[in-house]
Amino acid sequence: MTDKNRNLYSKCLKLLEWFPAVAILGARQTGKTTLAKALGKNWTYVDLERPEDMDRLSYDPSFFFTEHPASLILDEAQEYPEIFKTLRGVIDADRKKNGRFILTGSSSPALITEISETLAGRVAIVELGTFKSNEYYELPLSPFYSLFETGLSKAVPVAGTPPLSRRQIQRCWLYGGYPEPALADDPQRHAVWMDNYRDTYINRDIAKLFPKLNRQRYRRFLTMLCKLSGTLINKSHIGRAVEASESTIRDYLDIAHGTYIWRKLSCFEGSVTKSITKMPKGYIRDSGLLHHLLGIHSVDELMTDPVVGASFEAYVCDELIKGIEATLVSNWSAHYYRTRGGAEIDLIIEGPFGVLPVEIKYGSSVKRSSLKSLTGFVKDNGLPMGLLVNQGEQVEWVTPEIVQVPAGWL
């Protein structure tokens, strides 16, 4: 049911050529195990959430790796963090041999730190999100993303009518991309699955990782976070609403980000403009989970809900980020931008390719006056262009500085 081709597949194959191990991280139920098994066909598979597999490995790790020195998948590696030190020694014993291990991990803020510190230089880390829209419709990754591999210029690598229609985009936007409910294509089943996912996330993952956490308060916080997805976050206001201190809300935001439910964006500070706000901003990563928790179950309901603009912005941000993550581009980052004077840009993508400011509108057309902040940012910072993403029909230059790319091209 979940064996659609993933954009990260080709990248992971290349990374296995370059590194002894590849770690696939992400939220639960995003298809990490399926991807790992597709990459490591006929490899030994060990699920560390199964007691019998955990016993096999933990009883005598050195002996286990003597028996399995390569072609090994370790699923849910966060269940046994002690394994990373042993694995480092195993890798170093035959340091020149690459493509030996695939690790997966989920819902553990400390996991990426543990892997990065213990296996530095020995492991490549990738993050697998929920289905990107092209994956759901079994299309290749858009050529749009070659823009980030060649460097930013006005030579936009897409033109004309997008491969995904407005209706297809709206379907993915509404229901999100968790593979199991997305592929079931049944609204009632989708709702039941999402209810269980939320409860499992709070009552199992969060309870296990943070046993002293007040789960009822964290549940209220998560509901509040959905209503604020895509907006600036005032921690003191949230704290008053859920009866928690500002420092507790800061911890909750870190937990939500570290468990891949929430994507935290920092304000871009590389502009010539210095009067920026530094309030945190972010969004619920999967739009289907967001809409379910807000009680939105149809496109008609979504289009008339006050959250529609912020929701589409979050959906497009994550589509763009997942697309870039599927390339071999490194050392890049995503931000938002807002000055104290009120100038705002939804997304700033910065990397070796340059700086790309992105304005996101859920409609199919836009007034030039609403692009004032984007135009000013492009001119002030001497950039080749700015990007407008909406539900338009064609790729076109709406001003000399700004190109419109329909969401169906992402």
Side-chain angles (χ1 to χ4, degrees), residues 292-336:
H292 176 75
L293 294 179
L294 291 176
I296 299 171
H297 303 297
S298 72
V299 172
D300 288 341
E301 290 176 4
L302 178 57
M303 291 303 178
T304 57
D305 194 283
V307 79
V308 61
S311 171
F312 187 71
E313 176 188 324
Y315 164 74
V316 169
C317 283
D318 226 52
E319 286 287 287
L320 280 165
I321 289 171
K322 285 188 284 195
I324 302 172
E325 285 175 338
T327 71
L328 290 169
V329 175
S330 60
N331 196 31
W332 63 275
S333 56
H335 310 268
Y336 79 96

Side-chain angles (χ1 to χ4, degrees), residues 58-347:
S58 61
Y59 179 74
D60 189 341
S62 297
F63 177 75
F64 180 87
F65 281 111
T66 300
E67 295 292 301
H68 304 286
S71 301
L72 176 67
I73 298 170
L74 293 174
D75 206 358
E76 301 296 353
Q78 78 279 351
E79 296 295 323
Y80 189 48
E82 297 87 350
I83 198 62
F84 300 124
K85 291 181 181 179
T86 303
L87 191 58
R88 180 177 62 188
V90 173
I91 290 172
D92 288 349
D94 193 359
R95 187 64 183 82
K96 293 183 179 180
K97 186 175 181 180
N98 292 331
R100 299 168 64 187
F101 305 103
I102 299 173
L103 316 176
T104 80
S106 59
S107 300
S108 178
L111 179 61
I112 189 168
T113 301
E114 183 73 35
I115 292 176
S116 299
E117 291 179 355
T118 308
L119 297 178
R122 303 165 180 86
V123 63
I125 300 172
V126 298
E127 185 180 309
L128 182 67
T130 58
F131 277 152
K132 197 174 176 332
S133 298
N134 76 288
E135 294 174 323
Y136 178 79
Y137 287 106
E138 300 185 283
L139 296 173
L141 184 67
S142 170
F144 171 81
Y145 294 98
S146 65
L147 185 73
F148 300 97
E149 298 178 297
T150 59
L152 299 177
S153 71
K154 289 196 172 184
V156 182
V158 292
T161 304
L164 290 174
S165 69
R166 188 180 303 169
R167 184 175 180 179
Q168 288 173 317
I169 287 295
Q170 289 177 352
R171 190 250 173 248
C172 290
W173 172 26
L174 174 66
Y175 289 114
Y178 282 102
E180 186 175 336
L183 296 176
D185 203 20
D186 179 337
Q188 188 174 30
R189 181 174 172 181
H190 184 277
V192 172
W193 191 94
M194 286 293 181
D195 272 343
N196 280 277
Y197 187 85
R198 175 200 58 199
D199 292 343
T200 300
Y201 167 68
I202 293 174
N203 295 327
R204 174 184 165 178
D205 295 343
I206 293 299
K208 187 174 183 179
L209 290 166
F210 309 97
K212 296 182 179 179
L213 194 72
N214 185 317
R215 278 180 273 166
Q216 287 296 105
R217 187 176 291 158
Y218 187 79
R219 182 188 290 269
R220 293 202 303 272
F221 161 79
L222 197 60
T223 300
M224 175 72 74
L225 206 56
C226 289
K227 297 176 181 178
L228 297 173
S229 183
T231 68
L232 295 179
I233 300 297
N234 187 314
K235 294 188 289 293
S236 62
H237 288 176
I238 299 178
R240 285 194 292 272
V242 303
E243 300 177 343
S245 67
E246 187 172 330
S247 62
T248 296
I249 298 304
R250 186 182 301 111
D251 291 341
Y252 284 3
L253 286 168
D254 288 341
I255 290 170
H257 177 80
T259 53
Y260 306 103
I261 292 293
W262 174 262
R263 189 182 296 279
K264 182 168 54 180
L265 296 176
S266 60
C267 190
F268 180 71
E269 299 185 27
S271 171
V272 294
T273 302
K274 300 299 181 183
S275 58
I276 59 171
T277 182
K278 292 189 178 182
M279 293 177 68
K281 182 180 179 180
Y283 56 87
I284 300 294
R285 293 193 184 198
D286 185 77
S287 56
L289 180 62
L290 169 68
H291 297 149
H292 176 75
L293 294 179
L294 291 176
I296 299 171
H297 303 297
S298 72
V299 172
D300 288 341
E301 290 176 4
L302 178 57
M303 291 303 178
T304 57
D305 194 283
V307 79
V308 61
S311 171
F312 187 71
E313 176 188 324
Y315 164 74
V316 169
C317 283
D318 226 52
E319 286 287 287
L320 280 165
I321 289 171
K322 285 188 284 195
I324 302 172
E325 285 175 338
T327 71
L328 290 169
V329 175
S330 60
N331 196 31
W332 63 275
S333 56
H335 310 268
Y336 79 96
Y337 176 78
R338 184 183 176 92
T339 68
R340 292 190 176 91
E344 186 172 4
I345 299 172
D346 297 324
L347 184 67

Side-chain angles (χ1 to χ4, degrees), residues 385-404:
M385 67 171 182
L387 178 65
L388 167 66
V389 178
N390 59 10
Q391 296 188 73
E393 300 289 343
Q394 299 283 335
V395 176
E396 59 179 315
W397 289 89
V398 293
T399 76
E401 299 86 15
I402 300 171
V403 61
Q404 170 186 289

Side-chain angles (χ1 to χ4, degrees), residues 373-387:
S373 294
L374 184 60
T375 301
F377 187 91
V378 171
K379 290 181 176 180
D380 290 346
N381 292 278
L383 304 179
M385 67 171 182
L387 178 65

